[in-house]
Amino acid sequence: MEKWPIGIFTSVGAGLGAGLNTVTSLGVHTVQLHAPHGPDRAPERVAQFKQQFADAGVQVTVVFAGFEGESYADIPTVQATVGLVPEATRAARLAETKAICDFAALLGCETVGMHIGFVPEDASNPLYAGVVKAAQEVCDYCQQRGQRFNLETGQEKADVLLRFFQDVGRENLGINFDPANLILYGTDEPIPALRTVGKHVRSVHCKDAKRQEGVGGGWAGVEVALGQGDVNIPLFLRTLKEVGYFGPLTIEREISGEQQKKDIAEAIALLQRLRDEILGA
Ligand code: MG
């Protein structure tokens, strides 16, 4: 694979990603795919998706797990509803995660990604040990299928994530680094955080956010088009090079419709220009 191929966060059915039509019309050849709901994970549907992606010349690099009942309405709701942290839904979601790993395997995708939820900063919090165990279980299931498991950044500080990695202790655990989330959740500075966890980064979201007070819901900023926010995208790419990451640059823009497509097109142009500048044309 060429270094830093451009990618787009994509959906078929469920999730906020762009559609496959947008991907092909923009001439992009890698995507991360939000896992569709159960009925769309049936083998015959998977065969159809696989054919559609193959016909379009598009490689699915990460399948992202998401669950019914998750809400990003405000930060307390995220803490209570997202990922494998909430205890009430953990067992059912672990089972669904395994089904999503199977879906990814059928699709020919070697990585499953997830917002695992807010990993407690305090390792003596009773939730902590349970989340470590859940992550180990997913890693081991992935390992049997030759897959990796990537955690999305943003809901905890880089050093908390690093300790969590050590405690999970699985070689196929990786990070999907999303610099904008660190601003949105107000958890950390994106570039120093990337340096801290850099050796574990296996995929990224190219997403931007602006720090803003008074957003409400506990949010510390708002998501904006790539290059318009406080991440410092040129420095983000230079730091990816520094930590040795040359995998896909997957654009994530969490709005829909024509504006999403326009912003993604501009993000592609920005990333191509920076890639030529930083890696040499
Ligand atoms: Mg993201």
Side-chain angles (χ1 to χ4, degrees):
M1 200 187 251
E2 60 172 332
K3 285 182 177 176
W4 286 351
I6 308 290
I8 298 177
F9 194 85
T10 313
S11 296
V12 284
L16 260 184
L20 185 56
N21 288 344
T22 299
V23 175
T24 49
S25 71
L26 292 171
V28 166
H29 299 288
T30 81
V31 296
Q32 292 190 9
L33 177 67
H34 190 286
H37 293 313
D40 274 336
R41 299 199 298 262
E44 58 277 14
R45 288 292 285 149
V46 183
Q48 286 170 359
F49 290 140
K50 198 173 176 181
Q51 192 61 49
Q52 281 171 359
F53 283 111
D55 289 347
V58 171
Q59 185 192 351
V60 180
T61 58
V62 179
V63 168
F64 245 86
F67 306 104
E68 296 271 12
E70 291 185 325
S71 167
Y72 290 83
D74 53 57
I75 289 185
T77 307
V78 176
Q79 280 175 321
T81 67
V82 168
L84 299 178
V85 174
E87 273 182 306
T89 48
R90 190 182 295 149
R93 286 179 177 180
L94 264 173
E96 183 159 15
T97 302
K98 291 174 184 174
I100 290 169
C101 294
D102 293 342
F103 164 81
L106 277 180
L107 209 54
C109 177
E110 292 173 358
T111 305
V112 173
M114 187 193 290
H115 270 289
I116 201 165
F118 274 77
V119 173
E121 284 198 18
D122 177 1
S124 68
N125 180 317
L127 283 174
Y128 187 84
V131 185
V132 168
K133 198 163 162 282
Q136 288 170 334
E137 196 172 325
V138 177
C139 285
D140 294 346
Y141 195 83
C142 285
Q143 185 66 40
Q144 291 160 12
R145 283 149 191 78
Q147 293 171 318
R148 306 191 61 88
F149 181 43
N150 286 2
L151 303 182
E152 171 103 350
T153 53
Q155 294 160 348
E156 51 282 312
K157 294 183 194 304
D159 54 350
V160 173
L161 197 57
L162 212 52
R163 190 188 54 206
F164 184 71
F165 262 70
Q166 286 156 3
D167 290 341
V168 174
R170 295 294 190 272
E171 297 232 321
N172 64 333
L173 186 65
I175 287 175
N176 184 81
F177 196 92
D178 184 327
N181 283 348
L182 297 157
I183 292 174
L184 294 170
Y185 288 92
T187 38
D188 223 330
E189 289 294 324
I191 305 300
L194 175 55
R195 292 199 176 105
T196 302
V197 300
K199 66 175 177 183
H200 297 295
V201 173
R202 298 282 183 274
S203 55
V204 300
H205 286 164
C206 291
K207 190 172 91 185
D208 212 341
K210 238 184 152 33
R211 287 185 191 89
Q212 193 174 306
E213 284 180 32
V215 180
W219 298 106
V222 289
E223 193 231 347
V224 295
L226 200 71
Q228 312 282 307
D230 293 323
V231 167
N232 190 343
I233 298 301
L235 185 58
F236 176 57
L237 293 200
R238 283 195 191 93
T239 311
L240 286 176
K241 182 184 175 191
E242 193 181 296
V243 303
Y245 177 84
F246 297 104
L249 301 177
T250 305
I251 298 160
E252 183 179 29
R253 182 69 173 115
E254 297 180 329
I255 56 173
S256 57
E258 276 309 301
Q259 190 64 42
Q260 183 192 45
K261 190 171 173 182
K262 184 172 167 284
D263 289 351
I264 291 173
E266 285 174 11
I268 292 170
L270 172 65
L271 292 176
Q272 284 171 334
R273 182 172 62 72
L274 290 170
R275 184 176 60 186
D276 289 351
E277 221 172 271
I278 296 167
L279 300 184

